[in-house]
């Protein structure tokens, strides 16, 4: 069993920045590809970003390219999402997720592929 705990959400003004963290425990962190997803009220959950086990590859949704950066520190069992130039449409609950894989360089942008999920952290961007 692996546990994921997100932190760093909050209320910010448009144009501001936030850094989300997801701390993992249980299984070896480096055994998992990691992803960030978000869900706004009344909307489906959508993909935001993913990073391979080793951190060598990343992939982003078009809506956040150039503004968000996903990274990981395997020595700290933590994955991050740096969010810059935030917009009101970024308002959502943000979830981190883990996907066990034997492939160090593979990416997983589909939510149904992930096995473990955090509780989510609220990000609210005011105009």
């Amino acid at each position: 069993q692996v546990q994921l705990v997100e932190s760093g959400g909050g209320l910010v003004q448009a144009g501001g920045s936030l850094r989300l963290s997801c701390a993992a425990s249980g299984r070896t962190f480096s055994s998992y590809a990691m992803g960030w997803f978000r869900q706004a009220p009344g909307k489906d959950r959508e993909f935001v970003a993913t990073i391979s086990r080793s951190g060598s590859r990343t992939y982003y949704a078009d809506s956040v390219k150039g503004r968000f950066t996903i990274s990981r520190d395997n020595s700290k069992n933590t994955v991050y999402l740096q969010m810059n130039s935030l917009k009101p449409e970024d308002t959502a609950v943000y979830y981190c997720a883990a996907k066990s894989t034997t492939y160090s360089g593979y990416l997983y942008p589909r939510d149904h592929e992930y096995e473990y999920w955090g509780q989510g952290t609220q990000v609210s961007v005011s105009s």
Side-chain angles (χ1 to χ4, degrees):
Q1 190 71 254
V2 62
Q3 295 176 318
L4 304 173
V5 180
E6 302 98 331
S7 62
L11 175 63
V12 298
Q13 294 183 345
S17 298
L18 283 174
R19 191 190 196 194
L20 305 184
S21 298
C22 177
S25 62
R27 297 285 303 277
T28 302
F29 182 66
S30 61
S31 297
Y32 297 89
M34 301 295 295
W36 285 98
F37 298 81
R38 67 187 183 186
Q39 187 168 27
K43 304 292 180 65
D44 291 334
R45 185 167 57 198
E46 66 174 336
F47 166 76
V48 176
T50 187
I51 188 167
S52 61
R53 276 181 52 187
S54 66
S56 63
R57 300 179 66 200
T58 59
Y59 182 68
Y60 300 89
D62 288 342
S63 60
V64 305
K65 284 181 180 178
R67 299 189 298 122
F68 291 10
T69 302
I70 188 171
S71 62
R72 68 190 296 162
D73 187 340
N74 287 351
S75 70
K76 298 181 179 179
N77 285 7
T78 302
V79 63
Y80 306 95
L81 185 68
Q82 178 67 48
M83 305 185 294
N84 298 326
S85 301
L86 284 163
K87 305 174 181 179
E89 50 263 46
D90 294 318
T91 296
V93 176
Y94 283 70
Y95 300 91
C96 69
K99 168 72 175 80
S100 62
T101 178
T102 60
Y103 305 111
S104 63
Y106 278 33
L107 295 169
Y108 300 90
R110 302 171 182 85
D111 58 358
H112 69 265
E113 296 178 304
Y114 288 82
E115 300 169 342
Y116 303 99
W117 294 81
Q119 83 290 342
T121 185
Q122 177 71 48
V123 172
S124 298
V125 184
S126 62
S127 61

